[in-house]
Structures are given as structure tokens and as C-alpha cells.
Amino acid sequence: MSYINMNQNSSYNFKAPNIAADADKKIEVVFPTQEALAPAVAAATAVEINRQTTVIDLGELAANITLNATLGTDLERGAIITVKAKSDGTARSVTFGDGFTAPAVAGTISKTKVVSLIYDGASFLPMAAAVQID
């Protein structure tokens, strides 16, 4: 299916890869959508992950939290989550619970940390250590 931008006369279409192992198969993939979440933060904070790319901004934390994810039925391997959290005047940690297999991110006083995780078909795994961005 193509989409034509009538203002610029440009068109966009998906192209199937040439993978010999997929010959004579009908491969279906979820359309790659994205979402930004800013959940109400509590000691146990829950989010629903339904899209292939999700950014979760936890804002400035006033306490340590545990982040739990409910995983949508259409979520595919390779989905990516980026979690962003800032500590207040005390170093605050984000512990990953349901839906994750990842170590806690230890906060730093008045600093923001970001970590990206990838879905392996069962849970979200960290792609690297958290990074302080300020």
C-alpha cells in the first residue's frame, strides 16, 4: 500500500526484504508506530507498552520507584523502550519489575539518566548501561 503526499507529490511504500529463508511464506509485521508516555509516578509505576517504539519520561523522581510494564499482544521482538528519569535532591533509583529483565538504574543527585531496552519476545533487556545526560 502506498501513501501519496498530495502537497509534494511524494509517495511512501514498504519494500519487502529479499530473504531466501522467507520464500513462499506470508510474513506479517506490525506497523512501526511510536508513543511517548509520562505516567503518574508512584512507588510502583505501571505502563502499557503497545507500540514498537516508546519513550517513557518519568520526570523528576521524589522517591525510588519500580517500573512495571504490561506488554501488548502485538508487540514484536525488536521493540524499543527508552526510559528517562531525573533524581531530585536525593539520588533516586528506578528498579525494573514486570516486563523487564534489567538491573536497576541508580540515580545521581539532581541529574537525569536515560536507558534504552529492547524486547526479545519475552521481556525488555537493556541495550547498554544508563547514561547521565546533564
Side-chain angles (χ1 to χ4, degrees), residues 14-133:
F14 283 97
K15 178 183 173 195
N18 185 9
I19 300 171
D22 291 347
D24 298 320
K25 294 180 183 175
K26 180 181 176 186
I27 309 295
E28 292 185 346
V29 297
V30 174
F31 193 82
T33 58
Q34 59 78 30
E35 178 173 40
L37 301 176
V41 176
T45 300
V47 292
E48 289 185 29
I49 306 300
N50 293 304
R51 302 187 188 260
Q52 290 304 106
T53 304
T54 305
V55 176
I56 302 169
D57 188 345
L58 299 172
E60 185 173 275
L61 302 179
N64 295 329
I65 72 159
T66 298
L67 185 63
N68 295 300
T70 300
L71 308 179
T73 57
D74 286 333
L75 206 58
E76 292 187 338
R77 279 187 306 270
I80 295 174
I81 294 176
T82 299
V83 178
K84 176 182 170 187
K86 181 174 183 163
S87 290
D88 60 7
T90 300
R92 306 296 184 179
S93 295
V94 176
T95 299
F96 294 100
D98 296 342
F100 298 94
T101 303
V105 173
T108 301
I109 295 170
S110 302
K111 300 294 181 184
T112 305
K113 292 204 175 170
V114 177
V115 64
S116 291
L117 305 106
I118 190 164
Y119 185 60
D120 72 350
S123 65
F124 279 91
L125 308 172
M127 292 194 287
V131 176
Q132 183 175 304
I133 61 170

